[in-house]
């Protein structure tokens, strides 16, 4: 079991996030699928948390890589999503979990900025940088729409800056072959931002959503 845990990669958190979000999307149509997705997401998150506890040196080594460090934000986003699963049954523990995940994500943003952005090298920038600064659209579950909307604008502003930087990086420097598939992340942050905007805005602007949704 320890060998299995040690082999769990940080990007597994991204799979967990996708599963948890898919489950929430399917909930109105199939509760069984909602639960199944949530259980699978929780299983991956538990494995990754176990790796952090049992093999901290491995995690520390991975976090020196800017790609893995930025992708690690999906762990906290997954915990936020899982908190929404827990909320109908145990609101206070769910809110504590959500708040802790938000705080951990904020700490990651500060750390990532200090370690990688302040020592900026254009050829070392990748689309995964978007992930670190994108907010999750889970605030309404806990009545935190105003906070969630403020976080959306922060993430949106970061996205606009990074969009220019990442685009310049690909125009001026060829990406290593192993990192080329990361290009598929390019448009994902805007989709997540729009979801956050629509979930937290009192009166969403159709024009704003339409233009940015393209």
């Amino acid at each position: 079991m320890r060998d299995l845990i040690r082999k769990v990669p940080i990007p597994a958190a991204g799979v967990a996030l996708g599963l948890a979000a898919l489950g929430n999307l399917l909930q109105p149509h199939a509760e069984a699928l909602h639960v199944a997705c949530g259980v699978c997401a929780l299983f991956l998150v538990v494995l990754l948390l176990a790796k952090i506890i049992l093999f901290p040196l491995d995690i520390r080594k991975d976090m020196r890589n800017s790609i893995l460090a930025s992708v690690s934000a999906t762990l906290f986003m997954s915990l936020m999503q899982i908190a929404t699963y827990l909320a109908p049954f145990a609101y206070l523990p769910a809110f504590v979990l959500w708040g802790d995940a938000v705080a951990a994500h904020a700490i990651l943003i500060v750390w990532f900025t200090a370690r990688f952005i302040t020592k900026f090298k254009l050829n070392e920038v990748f689309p995964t940088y978007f992930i670190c600064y994108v907010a999750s659209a889970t605030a309404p579950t806990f009545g935190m729409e105003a906070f969630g909307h403020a976080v959306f604008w922060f993430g949106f502003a970061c996205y606009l800056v990074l969009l220019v930087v990442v685009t310049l990086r690909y125009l001026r420097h060829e990406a290593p072959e192993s990192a080329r598939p990361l290009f598929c992340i390019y448009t994902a942050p805007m989709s997540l931002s729009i979801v956050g905007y629509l979930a937290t805005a009192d009166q969403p602007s159709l024009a704003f959503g339409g233009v940015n949704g393209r």
Side-chain angles (χ1 to χ4, degrees), residues 11 32 34 36 44 57 62 69 77 85 89 92 97 109 116 131 134 147 152 155 162-163 175 179 194 198 203-204:
H34 169 244
L44 290 174
L57 294 181
D62 287 343
M77 295 180 191
Y85 281 73
F89 311 101
L92 184 57
L97 174 62
I109 290 174
F116 296 105
I131 300 172
V134 170
F147 171 77
F152 156 73
L162 285 172
L163 181 63
I194 291 302
L198 295 176
Q203 295 180 326

Side-chain angles (χ1 to χ4, degrees), residues 4 18 28 30 37 43 49 51 56 69 71 83 85 89 98 110 126 128-129 156 169 177 182 185-186 202:
L4 172 63
C37 288
F43 176 71
L49 290 175
K51 181 176 180 177
V71 169
Y85 281 73
F89 311 101
W98 180 81
V110 173
F126 294 96
T128 55
Y129 279 39
F156 184 71
R169 182 260 184 272
E177 185 174 352
L182 297 176
I185 300 173
Y186 205 91
D202 289 333

Side-chain angles (χ1 to χ4, degrees), residues 119-132:
K119 301 174 183 178
F120 178 79
K121 293 181 181 179
L122 187 61
N123 66 316
E124 295 181 1
V125 173
F126 294 96
T128 55
Y129 279 39
F130 288 125
I131 300 172
C132 187

Side-chain angles (χ1 to χ4, degrees), residues 9-21 44-45 48 71-75 78 131:
I10 287 177
V15 180
L17 175 61
L19 285 168
L44 290 174
V45 167
L48 192 51
V71 169
S72 70
T74 56
L75 173 60
S78 297
I131 300 172

Side-chain angles (χ1 to χ4, degrees), residues 81-117:
Q81 288 284 345
I82 289 171
T84 67
Y85 281 73
L86 180 61
F89 311 101
Y91 181 84
L92 184 57
F95 181 71
V96 171
L97 174 62
W98 180 81
D100 287 346
V102 170
H105 193 169
I107 292 170
L108 175 67
I109 290 174
V110 173
W111 176 84
F112 185 87
T113 301
R115 181 172 179 87
F116 296 105
I117 302 300

